[in-house]
PDB file of all heavy atoms in Angstrom:
ATOM      1  N   ILE N  23      -5.446  20.605 -12.669  1.00  0.00           N
ATOM      2  CA  ILE N  23      -5.424  20.040 -11.311  1.00  0.00           C
ATOM      3  C   ILE N  23      -3.994  20.050 -10.769  1.00  0.00           C
ATOM      4  O   ILE N  23      -3.055  19.684 -11.485  1.00  0.00           O
ATOM      5  CB  ILE N  23      -5.925  18.568 -11.326  1.00  0.00           C
ATOM      6  CG1 ILE N  23      -7.244  18.427 -12.105  1.00  0.00           C
ATOM      7  CG2 ILE N  23      -6.030  18.008  -9.910  1.00  0.00           C
ATOM      8  CD1 ILE N  23      -8.459  18.982 -11.455  1.00  0.00           C
ATOM      9  N   ILE N  24      -3.863  20.405  -9.495  1.00  0.00           N
ATOM     10  CA  ILE N  24      -2.586  20.265  -8.790  1.00  0.00           C
ATOM     11  C   ILE N  24      -2.666  18.972  -7.981  1.00  0.00           C
ATOM     12  O   ILE N  24      -3.617  18.769  -7.220  1.00  0.00           O
ATOM     13  CB  ILE N  24      -2.364  21.417  -7.785  1.00  0.00           C
ATOM     14  CG1 ILE N  24      -2.190  22.740  -8.510  1.00  0.00           C
ATOM     15  CG2 ILE N  24      -1.179  21.123  -6.872  1.00  0.00           C
ATOM     16  CD1 ILE N  24      -2.173  23.929  -7.537  1.00  0.00           C
ATOM     17  N   ILE N  25      -1.647  18.124  -8.126  1.00  0.00           N
ATOM     18  CA  ILE N  25      -1.542  16.922  -7.289  1.00  0.00           C
ATOM     19  C   ILE N  25      -0.366  17.138  -6.344  1.00  0.00           C
ATOM     20  O   ILE N  25       0.734  17.477  -6.800  1.00  0.00           O
ATOM     21  CB  ILE N  25      -1.300  15.664  -8.150  1.00  0.00           C
ATOM     22  CG1 ILE N  25      -2.474  15.461  -9.127  1.00  0.00           C
ATOM     23  CG2 ILE N  25      -1.096  14.439  -7.279  1.00  0.00           C
ATOM     24  CD1 ILE N  25      -2.182  14.460 -10.234  1.00  0.00           C
ATOM     25  N   VAL N  26      -0.587  16.924  -5.066  1.00  0.00           N
ATOM     26  CA  VAL N  26       0.507  17.078  -4.096  1.00  0.00           C
ATOM     27  C   VAL N  26       0.983  15.677  -3.708  1.00  0.00           C
ATOM     28  O   VAL N  26       0.205  14.885  -3.172  1.00  0.00           O
ATOM     29  CB  VAL N  26       0.053  17.844  -2.841  1.00  0.00           C
ATOM     30  CG1 VAL N  26       1.232  18.029  -1.886  1.00  0.00           C
ATOM     31  CG2 VAL N  26      -0.547  19.172  -3.226  1.00  0.00           C
ATOM     32  N   GLY N  27       2.260  15.371  -3.990  1.00  0.00           N
ATOM     33  CA  GLY N  27       2.823  14.073  -3.645  1.00  0.00           C
ATOM     34  C   GLY N  27       2.987  13.193  -4.868  1.00  0.00           C
ATOM     35  O   GLY N  27       2.051  12.977  -5.625  1.00  0.00           O
ATOM     36  N   ALA N  28       4.224  12.689  -5.057  1.00  0.00           N
ATOM     37  CA  ALA N  28       4.515  11.797  -6.192  1.00  0.00           C
ATOM     38  C   ALA N  28       4.772  10.386  -5.697  1.00  0.00           C
ATOM     39  O   ALA N  28       5.735   9.731  -6.106  1.00  0.00           O
ATOM     40  CB  ALA N  28       5.693  12.335  -6.995  1.00  0.00           C
ATOM     41  N   GLY N  29       3.919   9.914  -4.771  1.00  0.00           N
ATOM     42  CA  GLY N  29       3.937   8.496  -4.396  1.00  0.00           C
ATOM     43  C   GLY N  29       3.110   7.729  -5.424  1.00  0.00           C
ATOM     44  O   GLY N  29       2.770   8.244  -6.496  1.00  0.00           O
ATOM     45  N   ILE N  30       2.769   6.500  -5.084  1.00  0.00           N
ATOM     46  CA  ILE N  30       2.011   5.679  -6.032  1.00  0.00           C
ATOM     47  C   ILE N  30       0.634   6.302  -6.288  1.00  0.00           C
ATOM     48  O   ILE N  30       0.140   6.303  -7.412  1.00  0.00           O
ATOM     49  CB  ILE N  30       1.935   4.228  -5.495  1.00  0.00           C
ATOM     50  CG1 ILE N  30       3.335   3.619  -5.586  1.00  0.00           C
ATOM     51  CG2 ILE N  30       0.926   3.385  -6.267  1.00  0.00           C
ATOM     52  CD1 ILE N  30       3.583   2.464  -4.678  1.00  0.00           C
ATOM     53  N   GLY N  31       0.024   6.879  -5.237  1.00  0.00           N
ATOM     54  CA  GLY N  31      -1.276   7.525  -5.393  1.00  0.00           C
ATOM     55  C   GLY N  31      -1.214   8.731  -6.319  1.00  0.00           C
ATOM     56  O   GLY N  31      -2.003   8.848  -7.273  1.00  0.00           O
ATOM     57  N   GLY N  32      -0.287   9.639  -6.083  1.00  0.00           N
ATOM     58  CA  GLY N  32      -0.199  10.878  -6.869  1.00  0.00           C
ATOM     59  C   GLY N  32       0.169  10.605  -8.324  1.00  0.00           C
ATOM     60  O   GLY N  32      -0.416  11.188  -9.250  1.00  0.00           O
ATOM     61  N   LEU N  33       1.132   9.699  -8.529  1.00  0.00           N
ATOM     62  CA  LEU N  33       1.574   9.418  -9.907  1.00  0.00           C
ATOM     63  C   LEU N  33       0.474   8.723 -10.707  1.00  0.00           C
ATOM     64  O   LEU N  33       0.244   9.049 -11.878  1.00  0.00           O
ATOM     65  CB  LEU N  33       2.842   8.550  -9.869  1.00  0.00           C
ATOM     66  CG  LEU N  33       4.098   9.264  -9.341  1.00  0.00           C
ATOM     67  CD1 LEU N  33       5.195   8.246  -9.024  1.00  0.00           C
ATOM     68  CD2 LEU N  33       4.622  10.291 -10.350  1.00  0.00           C
ATOM     69  N   THR N  34      -0.229   7.770 -10.059  1.00  0.00           N
ATOM     70  CA  THR N  34      -1.312   7.089 -10.784  1.00  0.00           C
ATOM     71  C   THR N  34      -2.428   8.078 -11.112  1.00  0.00           C
ATOM     72  O   THR N  34      -3.031   8.013 -12.187  1.00  0.00           O
ATOM     73  CB  THR N  34      -1.873   5.914  -9.950  1.00  0.00           C
ATOM     74  OG1 THR N  34      -0.787   5.148  -9.478  1.00  0.00           O
ATOM     75  CG2 THR N  34      -2.784   5.025 -10.774  1.00  0.00           C
ATOM     76  N   THR N  35      -2.693   8.986 -10.182  1.00  0.00           N
ATOM     77  CA  THR N  35      -3.723   9.994 -10.443  1.00  0.00           C
ATOM     78  C   THR N  35      -3.344  10.844 -11.662  1.00  0.00           C
ATOM     79  O   THR N  35      -4.180  11.125 -12.525  1.00  0.00           O
ATOM     80  CB  THR N  35      -3.921  10.889  -9.202  1.00  0.00           C
ATOM     81  OG1 THR N  35      -4.265  10.051  -8.100  1.00  0.00           O
ATOM     82  CG2 THR N  35      -5.014  11.921  -9.414  1.00  0.00           C
ATOM     83  N   ALA N  36      -2.079  11.220 -11.742  1.00  0.00           N
ATOM     84  CA  ALA N  36      -1.636  12.026 -12.894  1.00  0.00           C
ATOM     85  C   ALA N  36      -1.837  11.257 -14.198  1.00  0.00           C
ATOM     86  O   ALA N  36      -2.330  11.808 -15.194  1.00  0.00           O
ATOM     87  CB  ALA N  36      -0.168  12.410 -12.724  1.00  0.00           C
ATOM     88  N   LEU N  37      -1.471   9.966 -14.192  1.00  0.00           N
ATOM     89  CA  LEU N  37      -1.634   9.168 -15.421  1.00  0.00           C
ATOM     90  C   LEU N  37      -3.103   9.023 -15.791  1.00  0.00           C
ATOM     91  O   LEU N  37      -3.475   9.102 -16.960  1.00  0.00           O
ATOM     92  CB  LEU N  37      -0.997   7.783 -15.235  1.00  0.00           C
ATOM     93  CG  LEU N  37       0.535   7.783 -15.159  1.00  0.00           C
ATOM     94  CD1 LEU N  37       1.052   6.412 -14.753  1.00  0.00           C
ATOM     95  CD2 LEU N  37       1.135   8.198 -16.508  1.00  0.00           C
ATOM     96  N   ARG N  38      -3.941   8.823 -14.788  1.00  0.00           N
ATOM     97  CA  ARG N  38      -5.385   8.678 -15.035  1.00  0.00           C
ATOM     98  C   ARG N  38      -6.004   9.975 -15.565  1.00  0.00           C
ATOM     99  O   ARG N  38      -6.797   9.957 -16.501  1.00  0.00           O
ATOM    100  CB  ARG N  38      -6.095   8.303 -13.726  1.00  0.00           C
ATOM    101  CG  ARG N  38      -6.251   6.853 -13.530  1.00  0.00           C
ATOM    102  CD  ARG N  38      -7.361   6.315 -14.415  1.00  0.00           C
ATOM    103  NE  ARG N  38      -7.303   4.877 -14.450  1.00  0.00           N
ATOM    104  CZ  ARG N  38      -7.860   4.119 -15.400  1.00  0.00           C
ATOM    105  NH1 ARG N  38      -8.497   4.665 -16.401  1.00  0.00           N
ATOM    106  NH2 ARG N  38      -7.784   2.826 -15.355  1.00  0.00           N
ATOM    107  N   LEU N  39      -5.647  11.085 -14.942  1.00  0.00           N
ATOM    108  CA  LEU N  39      -6.207  12.363 -15.388  1.00  0.00           C
ATOM    109  C   LEU N  39      -5.780  12.634 -16.832  1.00  0.00           C
ATOM    110  O   LEU N  39      -6.585  13.048 -17.670  1.00  0.00           O
ATOM    111  CB  LEU N  39      -5.756  13.504 -14.465  1.00  0.00           C
ATOM    112  CG  LEU N  39      -6.335  13.478 -13.036  1.00  0.00           C
ATOM    113  CD1 LEU N  39      -5.735  14.611 -12.207  1.00  0.00           C
ATOM    114  CD2 LEU N  39      -7.857  13.609 -13.044  1.00  0.00           C
ATOM    115  N   HIS N  40      -4.515  12.381 -17.104  1.00  0.00           N
ATOM    116  CA  HIS N  40      -3.999  12.587 -18.462  1.00  0.00           C
ATOM    117  C   HIS N  40      -4.763  11.691 -19.447  1.00  0.00           C
ATOM    118  O   HIS N  40      -5.156  12.131 -20.536  1.00  0.00           O
ATOM    119  CB  HIS N  40      -2.504  12.267 -18.473  1.00  0.00           C
ATOM    120  CG  HIS N  40      -1.891  12.357 -19.825  1.00  0.00           C
ATOM    121  ND1 HIS N  40      -1.657  13.553 -20.454  1.00  0.00           N
ATOM    122  CD2 HIS N  40      -1.488  11.402 -20.697  1.00  0.00           C
ATOM    123  CE1 HIS N  40      -1.129  13.335 -21.636  1.00  0.00           C
ATOM    124  NE2 HIS N  40      -1.015  12.037 -21.811  1.00  0.00           N
ATOM    125  N   HIS N  41      -4.977  10.439 -19.044  1.00  0.00           N
ATOM    126  CA  HIS N  41      -5.737   9.464 -19.856  1.00  0.00           C
ATOM    127  C   HIS N  41      -7.133  10.008 -20.194  1.00  0.00           C
ATOM    128  O   HIS N  41      -7.667   9.751 -21.266  1.00  0.00           O
ATOM    129  CB  HIS N  41      -5.843   8.190 -19.001  1.00  0.00           C
ATOM    130  CG  HIS N  41      -6.392   6.998 -19.694  1.00  0.00           C
ATOM    131  ND1 HIS N  41      -5.713   6.335 -20.689  1.00  0.00           N
ATOM    132  CD2 HIS N  41      -7.557   6.322 -19.536  1.00  0.00           C
ATOM    133  CE1 HIS N  41      -6.431   5.314 -21.099  1.00  0.00           C
ATOM    134  NE2 HIS N  41      -7.559   5.290 -20.427  1.00  0.00           N
ATOM    135  N   GLN N  42      -7.717  10.753 -19.252  1.00  0.00           N
ATOM    136  CA  GLN N  42      -9.071  11.308 -19.465  1.00  0.00           C
ATOM    137  C   GLN N  42      -9.014  12.693 -20.110  1.00  0.00           C
ATOM    138  O   GLN N  42     -10.041  13.374 -20.204  1.00  0.00           O
ATOM    139  CB  GLN N  42      -9.813  11.451 -18.117  1.00  0.00           C
ATOM    140  CG  GLN N  42      -9.873  10.184 -17.285  1.00  0.00           C
ATOM    141  CD  GLN N  42     -10.955   9.222 -17.741  1.00  0.00           C
ATOM    142  OE1 GLN N  42     -11.625   9.452 -18.744  1.00  0.00           O
ATOM    143  NE2 GLN N  42     -11.114   8.122 -17.028  1.00  0.00           N
ATOM    144  N   GLY N  43      -7.816  13.138 -20.457  1.00  0.00           N
ATOM    145  CA  GLY N  43      -7.678  14.432 -21.123  1.00  0.00           C
ATOM    146  C   GLY N  43      -7.709  15.619 -20.183  1.00  0.00           C
ATOM    147  O   GLY N  43      -7.996  16.757 -20.608  1.00  0.00           O
ATOM    148  N   ILE N  44      -7.401  15.395 -18.902  1.00  0.00           N
ATOM    149  CA  ILE N  44      -7.408  16.500 -17.920  1.00  0.00           C
ATOM    150  C   ILE N  44      -5.961  16.907 -17.621  1.00  0.00           C
ATOM    151  O   ILE N  44      -5.102  16.055 -17.353  1.00  0.00           O
ATOM    152  CB  ILE N  44      -8.134  16.082 -16.627  1.00  0.00           C
ATOM    153  CG1 ILE N  44      -9.591  15.731 -16.943  1.00  0.00           C
ATOM    154  CG2 ILE N  44      -8.049  17.174 -15.560  1.00  0.00           C
ATOM    155  CD1 ILE N  44     -10.352  15.132 -15.780  1.00  0.00           C
ATOM    156  N   ASP N  45      -5.727  18.197 -17.635  1.00  0.00           N
ATOM    157  CA  ASP N  45      -4.406  18.762 -17.425  1.00  0.00           C
ATOM    158  C   ASP N  45      -4.034  18.704 -15.935  1.00  0.00           C
ATOM    159  O   ASP N  45      -4.859  19.060 -15.081  1.00  0.00           O
ATOM    160  CB  ASP N  45      -4.521  20.245 -17.876  1.00  0.00           C
ATOM    161  CG  ASP N  45      -3.182  20.876 -18.040  1.00  0.00           C
ATOM    162  OD1 ASP N  45      -2.192  20.143 -18.087  1.00  0.00           O
ATOM    163  OD2 ASP N  45      -3.149  22.125 -18.115  1.00  0.00           O
ATOM    164  N   CYS N  46      -2.824  18.270 -15.607  1.00  0.00           N
ATOM    165  CA  CYS N  46      -2.430  18.260 -14.182  1.00  0.00           C
ATOM    166  C   CYS N  46      -0.917  18.347 -14.046  1.00  0.00           C
ATOM    167  O   CYS N  46      -0.178  18.095 -14.995  1.00  0.00           O
ATOM    168  CB  CYS N  46      -2.934  16.984 -13.510  1.00  0.00           C
ATOM    169  SG  CYS N  46      -2.239  15.479 -14.197  1.00  0.00           S
ATOM    170  N   GLU N  47      -0.497  18.721 -12.835  1.00  0.00           N
ATOM    171  CA  GLU N  47       0.930  18.755 -12.506  1.00  0.00           C
ATOM    172  C   GLU N  47       1.104  18.248 -11.092  1.00  0.00           C
ATOM    173  O   GLU N  47       0.210  18.421 -10.251  1.00  0.00           O
ATOM    174  CB  GLU N  47       1.476  20.182 -12.613  1.00  0.00           C
ATOM    175  CG  GLU N  47       1.551  20.649 -14.040  1.00  0.00           C
ATOM    176  CD  GLU N  47       2.275  21.978 -14.193  1.00  0.00           C
ATOM    177  OE1 GLU N  47       2.967  22.412 -13.255  1.00  0.00           O
ATOM    178  OE2 GLU N  47       2.119  22.579 -15.263  1.00  0.00           O
ATOM    179  N   ILE N  48       2.262  17.657 -10.820  1.00  0.00           N
ATOM    180  CA  ILE N  48       2.534  17.111  -9.480  1.00  0.00           C
ATOM    181  C   ILE N  48       3.579  17.975  -8.787  1.00  0.00           C
ATOM    182  O   ILE N  48       4.571  18.375  -9.407  1.00  0.00           O
ATOM    183  CB  ILE N  48       3.068  15.665  -9.573  1.00  0.00           C
ATOM    184  CG1 ILE N  48       2.076  14.764 -10.299  1.00  0.00           C
ATOM    185  CG2 ILE N  48       3.379  15.118  -8.193  1.00  0.00           C
ATOM    186  CD1 ILE N  48       2.512  13.294 -10.377  1.00  0.00           C
ATOM    187  N   TYR N  49       3.370  18.207  -7.497  1.00  0.00           N
ATOM    188  CA  TYR N  49       4.348  18.909  -6.662  1.00  0.00           C
ATOM    189  C   TYR N  49       4.775  17.959  -5.545  1.00  0.00           C
ATOM    190  O   TYR N  49       3.935  17.521  -4.756  1.00  0.00           O
ATOM    191  CB  TYR N  49       3.749  20.213  -6.108  1.00  0.00           C
ATOM    192  CG  TYR N  49       3.532  21.206  -7.223  1.00  0.00           C
ATOM    193  CD1 TYR N  49       2.402  21.132  -8.032  1.00  0.00           C
ATOM    194  CD2 TYR N  49       4.499  22.149  -7.517  1.00  0.00           C
ATOM    195  CE1 TYR N  49       2.224  21.992  -9.100  1.00  0.00           C
ATOM    196  CE2 TYR N  49       4.340  23.022  -8.590  1.00  0.00           C
ATOM    197  CZ  TYR N  49       3.203  22.942  -9.373  1.00  0.00           C
ATOM    198  OH  TYR N  49       3.050  23.793 -10.439  1.00  0.00           O
ATOM    199  N   GLU N  50       6.064  17.627  -5.502  1.00  0.00           N
ATOM    200  CA  GLU N  50       6.580  16.604  -4.574  1.00  0.00           C
ATOM    201  C   GLU N  50       7.697  17.223  -3.729  1.00  0.00           C
ATOM    202  O   GLU N  50       8.576  17.893  -4.262  1.00  0.00           O
ATOM    203  CB  GLU N  50       7.093  15.404  -5.391  1.00  0.00           C
ATOM    204  CG  GLU N  50       8.070  14.481  -4.694  1.00  0.00           C
ATOM    205  CD  GLU N  50       7.510  13.777  -3.451  1.00  0.00           C
ATOM    206  OE1 GLU N  50       6.374  13.298  -3.492  1.00  0.00           O
ATOM    207  OE2 GLU N  50       8.246  13.731  -2.437  1.00  0.00           O
ATOM    208  N   GLN N  51       7.651  16.936  -2.428  1.00  0.00           N
ATOM    209  CA  GLN N  51       8.650  17.543  -1.534  1.00  0.00           C
ATOM    210  C   GLN N  51      10.055  16.942  -1.713  1.00  0.00           C
ATOM    211  O   GLN N  51      11.053  17.617  -1.497  1.00  0.00           O
ATOM    212  CB  GLN N  51       8.218  17.390  -0.082  1.00  0.00           C
ATOM    213  CG  GLN N  51       8.187  15.950   0.419  1.00  0.00           C
ATOM    214  CD  GLN N  51       7.747  15.825   1.862  1.00  0.00           C
ATOM    215  OE1 GLN N  51       7.412  16.811   2.508  1.00  0.00           O
ATOM    216  NE2 GLN N  51       7.752  14.615   2.383  1.00  0.00           N
ATOM    217  N   GLY N  52      10.140  15.660  -2.112  1.00  0.00           N
ATOM    218  CA  GLY N  52      11.444  14.994  -2.218  1.00  0.00           C
ATOM    219  C   GLY N  52      12.092  15.238  -3.565  1.00  0.00           C
ATOM    220  O   GLY N  52      11.565  15.970  -4.407  1.00  0.00           O
ATOM    221  N   ASP N  53      13.258  14.554  -3.753  1.00  0.00           N
ATOM    222  CA  ASP N  53      13.945  14.755  -5.038  1.00  0.00           C
ATOM    223  C   ASP N  53      13.709  13.590  -6.012  1.00  0.00           C
ATOM    224  O   ASP N  53      14.114  13.663  -7.174  1.00  0.00           O
ATOM    225  CB  ASP N  53      15.443  14.987  -4.821  1.00  0.00           C
ATOM    226  CG  ASP N  53      16.081  13.866  -4.027  1.00  0.00           C
ATOM    227  OD1 ASP N  53      15.478  12.777  -3.960  1.00  0.00           O
ATOM    228  OD2 ASP N  53      17.171  14.064  -3.478  1.00  0.00           O
ATOM    229  N   LEU N  54      13.098  12.501  -5.519  1.00  0.00           N
ATOM    230  CA  LEU N  54      12.758  11.325  -6.344  1.00  0.00           C
ATOM    231  C   LEU N  54      13.977  10.693  -7.004  1.00  0.00           C
ATOM    232  O   LEU N  54      13.862  10.017  -8.027  1.00  0.00           O
ATOM    233  CB  LEU N  54      11.713  11.686  -7.426  1.00  0.00           C
ATOM    234  CG  LEU N  54      10.379  12.198  -6.923  1.00  0.00           C
ATOM    235  CD1 LEU N  54       9.464  12.546  -8.088  1.00  0.00           C
ATOM    236  CD2 LEU N  54       9.678  11.183  -6.022  1.00  0.00           C
TER     237      LEU N  54
END
Side-chain angles (χ1 to χ4, degrees):
I23 311 288
I24 293 172
I25 299 166
V26 182
I30 290 158
L33 291 166
T34 312
T35 303
L37 290 171
R38 267 284 167 200
L39 291 176
H40 176 73
H41 189 69
Q42 306 280 5
I44 299 172
D45 194 15
C46 62
E47 289 188 15
I48 302 183
Y49 292 82
E50 160 62 43
Q51 66 180 2
D53 55 19
L54 299 179

